[in-house]
Amino acid sequence: MTDEKKAGSAKDSHYARLRRAHRERKQVTAPSAPDLPEHQVRLYGLHTVRAALDNPSRKILRMFVTRNAAQRLELGDLHALPYPAELVEPKAIDALVGSEAVHQGVVVEAHRRKAKALSELGRASLVLVLDQVTDPHNVGAIMRSAVAFNVDALVTTTRHSPAESGVLAKSASGALEHIDHIEVRNLANAIEELHAAGFQTVGLDSEGPEPLEGTLEGGKIALVLGAEGKGLRQKTRETVTALARLDMPGAIRSLNVSNAAAVSLYIARQALKG
């Protein structure tokens, strides 16, 4: 074999090894994060984590944070924090929450917040009730609007509702820490309890007989929203005080449930001022 052919063969072998190594690297997956106990949750994102750290009722167990995120959160000396905190590279957080999560360089492991009972509403005047809204992105966005409009509590069902999670908390952008969450087993019974407590319960329905503005009355309002597509369940529709619609003059006659929540909460707040 000539020197030229030997050189060509060595070059081909070199590229073959590179291609094989590239294929092997592609097959390696990031290590999966260990599962947490059911009563714990991973929360990520700057706004989400800052709100959790500032919430005295939130029990933080551990933190993983990049140098940049630690500076933005103004954490100071990590060793002085009342929980273990570790300075890591972003890929370490990717391994915990997934590379698709917009974690912004920080994740905390914490105890989930404990849901309250309906009997703990106290002097509430505005309540938001969700009838099997299951998408955590939507529920998180709804929480954000609810906090913005000073809603006293969010009521969901124990089943067919998303559990507290990093996705929900990130969508809520800190609002998770600022609203009372009430879980009920039977929504129809819960609505009846709201009636007994003096609430007018109004279900949002695109085919409702009257606009929401003309339906709201009294000093205690509970808005009830159903899941996208399905809307309110029949039993819920039969139990609420009234059904009402959001009047929209455009070609599209319905909104995403989180947008509908924001609009209806604004209307409810205006009604409670009157």
Side-chain angles (χ1 to χ4, degrees):
M1 182 181 290
T2 66
D3 291 343
E4 184 177 345
K5 287 184 178 179
K6 287 180 179 179
S9 176
K11 185 176 181 181
D12 289 343
S13 177
H14 172 70
Y15 283 123
R17 287 197 299 271
L18 287 178
R19 287 193 295 270
R20 184 168 61 252
H22 178 66
R23 285 196 302 270
E24 289 173 353
R25 283 198 301 271
K26 287 180 68 177
Q27 291 171 359
V28 174
T29 58
S32 59
D35 290 336
L36 292 177
E38 188 176 344
H39 64 280
Q40 294 179 20
V41 64
R42 289 189 178 97
L43 305 174
Y44 54 82
L46 292 172
H47 291 300
T48 302
V49 170
R50 180 74 272 169
L53 298 182
D54 291 341
N55 182 2
S57 67
R58 173 71 79 173
K59 175 65 175 177
I60 306 296
L61 302 172
R62 187 162 58 157
M63 171 188 284
F64 299 95
V65 63
T66 64
R67 188 176 304 278
N68 180 57
Q71 292 173 348
R72 295 179 67 182
L73 289 167
E74 299 181 343
L75 294 176
D77 182 6
L78 296 186
H79 297 293
L81 296 174
Y83 41 81
E86 185 176 342
L87 207 61
V88 297
E89 294 298 319
K91 61 183 180 182
I93 301 179
D94 288 344
L96 284 174
V97 299
S99 58
E100 300 300 315
V102 186
H103 55 69
Q104 299 174 293
V106 62
V107 59
V108 295
E109 294 177 353
H111 282 298
R112 296 182 191 272
R113 293 189 68 195
K114 186 177 180 181
K116 295 190 173 184
L118 199 59
S119 58
E120 297 179 77
L121 271 178
R123 301 176 63 182
S125 61
L126 182 57
V127 172
L128 192 57
V129 182
L130 302 183
D131 184 8
Q132 296 192 353
V133 179
T134 58
D135 185 340
H137 296 91
N138 277 334
V139 175
I142 288 169
M143 283 185 171
R144 188 173 182 177
S145 295
V147 171
F149 288 104
N150 199 26
V151 170
D152 295 296
L154 177 72
V155 180
T156 65
T157 51
T158 304
R159 297 178 60 196
H160 305 296
S161 295
E164 183 179 321
S165 67
V167 172
L168 187 152
K170 186 67 169 66
S171 299
S173 192
L176 179 63
E177 311 297 328
H178 295 285
I179 188 167
D180 285 340
H181 179 202
I182 292 172
E183 280 189 2
V184 297
R185 292 186 179 277
N186 185 297
L187 193 61
N189 290 346
I191 292 172
E192 293 290 8
E193 285 188 49
L194 288 170
H195 294 161
F199 281 86
Q200 180 198 27
T201 60
V202 181
L204 269 290
D205 189 317
S206 59
E207 303 299 325
E210 298 291 338
L212 182 60
E213 296 91 326
T215 305
L216 299 176
E217 59 184 24
K220 302 176 80 170
I221 295 170
L223 297 173
V224 188
L225 285 80
E228 287 194 60
K230 297 186 299 183
L232 298 172
R233 289 175 293 164
Q234 185 60 34
K235 182 64 174 176
T236 305
R237 294 165 59 88
E238 294 170 355
T239 310
V240 294
T241 309
L243 295 171
R245 66 179 185 270
L246 294 176
D247 265 344
M248 287 167 283
I252 295 177
R253 305 299 300 276
S254 63
L255 294 173
N256 168 282
V257 65
S258 63
N259 292 330
V263 174
S264 59
L265 286 172
Y266 174 80
I267 294 171
R269 267 291 161 220
Q270 295 302 111
L272 288 171
K273 285 181 182 178

Short mmCIF file of all heavy atoms in Angstrom, two decimals, residues 39-75:
data_model
loop_
_atom_site.label_atom_id
_atom_site.label_comp_id
_atom_site.label_asym_id
_atom_site.label_seq_id
_atom_site.Cartn_x
_atom_site.Cartn_y
_atom_site.Cartn_z
N HIS A 39 -45.55 14.93 49.16
CA HIS A 39 -45.82 16.20 49.83
C HIS A 39 -44.77 17.27 49.48
O HIS A 39 -44.80 18.36 50.04
CB HIS A 39 -45.87 16.00 51.34
CG HIS A 39 -44.57 15.55 51.94
ND1 HIS A 39 -44.15 14.24 51.90
CD2 HIS A 39 -43.59 16.24 52.58
CE1 HIS A 39 -42.98 14.14 52.49
NE2 HIS A 39 -42.62 15.34 52.92
N GLN A 40 -43.85 16.93 48.57
CA GLN A 40 -42.82 17.90 48.19
C GLN A 40 -42.94 18.26 46.71
O GLN A 40 -43.56 17.55 45.92
CB GLN A 40 -41.42 17.33 48.47
CG GLN A 40 -41.12 17.13 49.95
CD GLN A 40 -39.76 16.55 50.20
OE1 GLN A 40 -38.87 16.60 49.35
NE2 GLN A 40 -39.56 15.96 51.38
N VAL A 41 -42.33 19.39 46.33
CA VAL A 41 -42.42 19.88 44.96
C VAL A 41 -41.14 20.62 44.61
O VAL A 41 -40.47 21.18 45.49
CB VAL A 41 -43.65 20.82 44.82
CG1 VAL A 41 -43.50 22.06 45.67
CG2 VAL A 41 -43.91 21.19 43.37
N ARG A 42 -40.79 20.62 43.33
CA ARG A 42 -39.69 21.44 42.83
C ARG A 42 -40.27 22.69 42.18
O ARG A 42 -41.09 22.60 41.26
CB ARG A 42 -38.83 20.66 41.83
CG ARG A 42 -37.98 19.57 42.45
CD ARG A 42 -37.00 18.97 41.45
NE ARG A 42 -36.17 17.96 42.10
CZ ARG A 42 -36.43 16.65 42.04
NH1 ARG A 42 -37.46 16.20 41.36
NH2 ARG A 42 -35.64 15.80 42.67
N LEU A 43 -39.82 23.85 42.63
CA LEU A 43 -40.26 25.13 42.09
C LEU A 43 -39.07 25.80 41.43
O LEU A 43 -37.97 25.81 41.98
CB LEU A 43 -40.80 26.02 43.21
CG LEU A 43 -41.92 25.45 44.08
CD1 LEU A 43 -42.24 26.39 45.23
CD2 LEU A 43 -43.17 25.18 43.24
N TYR A 44 -39.28 26.36 40.24
CA TYR A 44 -38.16 26.97 39.53
C TYR A 44 -38.59 28.28 38.87
O TYR A 44 -39.77 28.55 38.70
CB TYR A 44 -37.59 26.00 38.49
CG TYR A 44 -38.61 25.46 37.52
CD1 TYR A 44 -39.01 26.19 36.39
CD2 TYR A 44 -39.17 24.19 37.69
CE1 TYR A 44 -39.93 25.69 35.50
CE2 TYR A 44 -40.10 23.68 36.80
CZ TYR A 44 -40.47 24.43 35.70
OH TYR A 44 -41.40 23.94 34.82
N GLY A 45 -37.57 29.07 38.51
CA GLY A 45 -37.81 30.38 37.92
C GLY A 45 -37.62 31.48 38.95
O GLY A 45 -37.93 31.31 40.13
N LEU A 46 -37.09 32.62 38.52
CA LEU A 46 -36.73 33.69 39.45
C LEU A 46 -37.92 34.21 40.24
O LEU A 46 -37.87 34.33 41.46
CB LEU A 46 -36.05 34.83 38.69
CG LEU A 46 -34.67 34.51 38.11
CD1 LEU A 46 -34.19 35.65 37.22
CD2 LEU A 46 -33.66 34.27 39.23
N HIS A 47 -39.03 34.57 39.54
CA HIS A 47 -40.20 35.13 40.24
C HIS A 47 -40.82 34.09 41.17
O HIS A 47 -41.21 34.40 42.30
CB HIS A 47 -41.24 35.62 39.23
CG HIS A 47 -40.82 36.83 38.47
ND1 HIS A 47 -40.51 38.02 39.09
CD2 HIS A 47 -40.65 37.04 37.15
CE1 HIS A 47 -40.17 38.91 38.18
NE2 HIS A 47 -40.24 38.35 36.99
N THR A 48 -40.91 32.87 40.68
CA THR A 48 -41.52 31.79 41.47
C THR A 48 -40.73 31.53 42.74
O THR A 48 -41.29 31.45 43.84
CB THR A 48 -41.59 30.50 40.62
OG1 THR A 48 -42.35 30.76 39.43
CG2 THR A 48 -42.23 29.37 41.41
N VAL A 49 -39.42 31.40 42.61
CA VAL A 49 -38.58 31.10 43.76
C VAL A 49 -38.53 32.28 44.72
O VAL A 49 -38.61 32.11 45.94
CB VAL A 49 -37.17 30.68 43.30
CG1 VAL A 49 -36.21 30.62 44.49
CG2 VAL A 49 -37.23 29.34 42.59
N ARG A 50 -38.43 33.50 44.19
CA ARG A 50 -38.40 34.67 45.07
C ARG A 50 -39.67 34.74 45.92
O ARG A 50 -39.62 35.01 47.13
CB ARG A 50 -38.28 35.94 44.23
CG ARG A 50 -38.22 37.26 45.00
CD ARG A 50 -36.89 37.46 45.68
NE ARG A 50 -36.81 36.88 47.02
CZ ARG A 50 -35.68 36.75 47.69
NH1 ARG A 50 -34.53 37.13 47.17
NH2 ARG A 50 -35.68 36.24 48.91
N ALA A 51 -40.83 34.48 45.29
CA ALA A 51 -42.09 34.51 46.04
C ALA A 51 -42.13 33.41 47.08
O ALA A 51 -42.62 33.61 48.20
CB ALA A 51 -43.27 34.38 45.08
N ALA A 52 -41.59 32.23 46.75
CA ALA A 52 -41.56 31.13 47.70
C ALA A 52 -40.65 31.45 48.89
O ALA A 52 -40.99 31.17 50.05
CB ALA A 52 -41.10 29.85 47.02
N LEU A 53 -39.50 32.06 48.61
CA LEU A 53 -38.57 32.41 49.68
C LEU A 53 -39.16 33.47 50.60
O LEU A 53 -38.88 33.49 51.81
CB LEU A 53 -37.26 32.93 49.10
CG LEU A 53 -36.44 31.97 48.22
CD1 LEU A 53 -35.15 32.64 47.77
CD2 LEU A 53 -36.14 30.67 48.95
N ASP A 54 -39.98 34.35 50.04
CA ASP A 54 -40.57 35.43 50.83
C ASP A 54 -41.84 35.02 51.58
O ASP A 54 -42.38 35.80 52.36
CB ASP A 54 -40.90 36.62 49.93
CG ASP A 54 -39.65 37.31 49.40
OD1 ASP A 54 -38.57 37.12 49.99
OD2 ASP A 54 -39.75 38.04 48.38
N ASN A 55 -42.32 33.80 51.31
CA ASN A 55 -43.54 33.32 51.94
C ASN A 55 -43.19 32.59 53.24
O ASN A 55 -42.62 31.50 53.21
CB ASN A 55 -44.29 32.38 51.00
CG ASN A 55 -45.59 31.87 51.58
OD1 ASN A 55 -45.97 32.23 52.70
ND2 ASN A 55 -46.28 31.02 50.84
N PRO A 56 -43.50 33.16 54.40
CA PRO A 56 -43.10 32.53 55.67
C PRO A 56 -43.75 31.17 55.90
O PRO A 56 -43.23 30.37 56.70
CB PRO A 56 -43.56 33.54 56.73
CG PRO A 56 -44.60 34.38 56.06
CD PRO A 56 -44.22 34.43 54.62
N SER A 57 -44.84 30.89 55.21
CA SER A 57 -45.49 29.59 55.41
C SER A 57 -44.96 28.51 54.45
O SER A 57 -45.36 27.36 54.54
CB SER A 57 -47.01 29.73 55.21
OG SER A 57 -47.32 30.03 53.87
N ARG A 58 -44.06 28.88 53.56
CA ARG A 58 -43.50 27.91 52.62
C ARG A 58 -42.20 27.34 53.22
O ARG A 58 -41.26 28.06 53.49
CB ARG A 58 -43.20 28.58 51.29
CG ARG A 58 -42.45 27.70 50.30
CD ARG A 58 -43.29 26.59 49.74
NE ARG A 58 -44.17 27.09 48.68
CZ ARG A 58 -44.93 26.31 47.93
NH1 ARG A 58 -44.95 25.00 48.15
NH2 ARG A 58 -45.71 26.82 47.00
N LYS A 59 -42.15 26.03 53.40
CA LYS A 59 -40.99 25.36 53.97
C LYS A 59 -40.04 24.96 52.85
O LYS A 59 -40.33 24.06 52.06
CB LYS A 59 -41.44 24.13 54.76
CG LYS A 59 -40.30 23.27 55.30
CD LYS A 59 -39.46 24.00 56.32
CE LYS A 59 -38.42 23.07 56.93
NZ LYS A 59 -37.53 23.76 57.88
N ILE A 60 -38.90 25.66 52.75
CA ILE A 60 -37.89 25.36 51.75
C ILE A 60 -36.95 24.29 52.31
O ILE A 60 -36.47 24.38 53.44
CB ILE A 60 -37.07 26.61 51.38
CG1 ILE A 60 -38.00 27.76 50.94
CG2 ILE A 60 -36.06 26.29 50.28
CD1 ILE A 60 -38.79 27.50 49.70
N LEU A 61 -36.67 23.27 51.51
CA LEU A 61 -35.83 22.16 51.95
C LEU A 61 -34.42 22.22 51.38
O LEU A 61 -33.46 21.87 52.06
CB LEU A 61 -36.48 20.83 51.56
CG LEU A 61 -37.88 20.59 52.11
CD1 LEU A 61 -38.49 19.35 51.49
CD2 LEU A 61 -37.83 20.47 53.63
N ARG A 62 -34.32 22.66 50.10
CA ARG A 62 -33.01 22.66 49.45
C ARG A 62 -33.06 23.55 48.22
O ARG A 62 -34.12 23.72 47.61
CB ARG A 62 -32.63 21.22 49.06
CG ARG A 62 -31.22 21.07 48.52
CD ARG A 62 -30.75 19.63 48.55
NE ARG A 62 -31.63 18.74 47.78
CZ ARG A 62 -31.23 17.57 47.28
NH1 ARG A 62 -30.00 17.14 47.50
NH2 ARG A 62 -32.07 16.81 46.61
N MET A 63 -31.91 24.14 47.86
CA MET A 63 -31.85 25.01 46.69
C MET A 63 -30.64 24.64 45.83
O MET A 63 -29.57 24.31 46.35
CB MET A 63 -31.74 26.48 47.10
CG MET A 63 -31.45 27.44 45.95
SD MET A 63 -31.11 29.13 46.49
CE MET A 63 -32.77 29.67 46.88
N PHE A 64 -30.84 24.70 44.51
CA PHE A 64 -29.75 24.60 43.55
C PHE A 64 -29.81 25.87 42.71
O PHE A 64 -30.87 26.20 42.15
CB PHE A 64 -29.90 23.37 42.66
CG PHE A 64 -29.88 22.07 43.43
CD1 PHE A 64 -31.07 21.47 43.83
CD2 PHE A 64 -28.68 21.45 43.76
CE1 PHE A 64 -31.07 20.29 44.54
CE2 PHE A 64 -28.67 20.26 44.48
CZ PHE A 64 -29.87 19.69 44.86
N VAL A 65 -28.69 26.58 42.61
CA VAL A 65 -28.73 27.89 41.97
C VAL A 65 -27.42 28.18 41.25
O VAL A 65 -26.34 27.77 41.70
CB VAL A 65 -29.03 28.99 43.03
CG1 VAL A 65 -27.93 29.08 44.07
CG2 VAL A 65 -29.28 30.34 42.39
N THR A 66 -27.51 28.85 40.10
CA THR A 66 -26.30 29.27 39.40
C THR A 66 -25.78 30.56 40.02
O THR A 66 -26.51 31.25 40.74
CB THR A 66 -26.59 29.50 37.91
OG1 THR A 66 -27.51 30.58 37.77
CG2 THR A 66 -27.15 28.24 37.25
N ARG A 67 -24.55 30.88 39.73
CA ARG A 67 -23.95 32.10 40.29
C ARG A 67 -24.75 33.34 39.86
O ARG A 67 -25.02 34.23 40.67
CB ARG A 67 -22.50 32.22 39.84
CG ARG A 67 -21.73 33.35 40.52
CD ARG A 67 -20.27 33.35 40.09
NE ARG A 67 -19.64 32.07 40.34
CZ ARG A 67 -19.15 31.71 41.51
NH1 ARG A 67 -19.23 32.53 42.54
NH2 ARG A 67 -18.58 30.52 41.67
N ASN A 68 -25.13 33.39 38.57
CA ASN A 68 -25.87 34.54 38.06
C ASN A 68 -27.23 34.67 38.74
O ASN A 68 -27.63 35.77 39.15
CB ASN A 68 -26.04 34.42 36.54
CG ASN A 68 -26.80 35.59 35.96
OD1 ASN A 68 -26.42 36.74 36.11
ND2 ASN A 68 -27.90 35.29 35.28
N ALA A 69 -27.95 33.55 38.88
CA ALA A 69 -29.27 33.59 39.51
C ALA A 69 -29.16 33.98 40.98
O ALA A 69 -30.00 34.71 41.51
CB ALA A 69 -29.97 32.24 39.36
N ALA A 70 -28.11 33.51 41.66
CA ALA A 70 -27.92 33.86 43.07
C ALA A 70 -27.74 35.36 43.23
O ALA A 70 -28.25 35.96 44.18
CB ALA A 70 -26.71 33.11 43.62
N GLN A 71 -27.01 35.97 42.29
CA GLN A 71 -26.82 37.42 42.33
C GLN A 71 -28.13 38.15 42.07
O GLN A 71 -28.45 39.13 42.74
CB GLN A 71 -25.76 37.82 41.31
CG GLN A 71 -24.36 37.36 41.66
CD GLN A 71 -23.36 37.64 40.55
OE1 GLN A 71 -23.73 37.99 39.42
NE2 GLN A 71 -22.08 37.48 40.88
N ARG A 72 -28.91 37.67 41.09
CA ARG A 72 -30.17 38.33 40.76
C ARG A 72 -31.19 38.20 41.89
O ARG A 72 -32.02 39.08 42.10
CB ARG A 72 -30.74 37.75 39.45
CG ARG A 72 -29.88 38.04 38.23
CD ARG A 72 -30.44 37.44 36.97
NE ARG A 72 -31.69 38.09 36.58
CZ ARG A 72 -32.41 37.73 35.52
NH1 ARG A 72 -32.01 36.70 34.76
NH2 ARG A 72 -33.53 38.35 35.22
N LEU A 73 -31.11 37.11 42.63
CA LEU A 73 -32.00 36.92 43.78
C LEU A 73 -31.47 37.58 45.05
O LEU A 73 -32.15 37.57 46.07
CB LEU A 73 -32.21 35.42 44.03
CG LEU A 73 -33.07 34.67 43.01
CD1 LEU A 73 -32.94 33.16 43.19
CD2 LEU A 73 -34.53 35.09 43.11
N GLU A 74 -30.24 38.12 44.95
CA GLU A 74 -29.60 38.78 46.08
C GLU A 74 -29.55 37.86 47.31
O GLU A 74 -29.94 38.24 48.42
CB GLU A 74 -30.31 40.10 46.41
CG GLU A 74 -30.30 41.09 45.25
CD GLU A 74 -30.99 42.40 45.58
OE1 GLU A 74 -31.76 42.43 46.56
OE2 GLU A 74 -30.76 43.38 44.86
N LEU A 75 -29.04 36.66 47.10
CA LEU A 75 -29.03 35.66 48.17
C LEU A 75 -27.88 35.86 49.15
O LEU A 75 -27.94 35.37 50.28
CB LEU A 75 -28.95 34.25 47.56
CG LEU A 75 -30.16 33.81 46.74
CD1 LEU A 75 -29.89 32.44 46.12
CD2 LEU A 75 -31.41 33.79 47.59
#
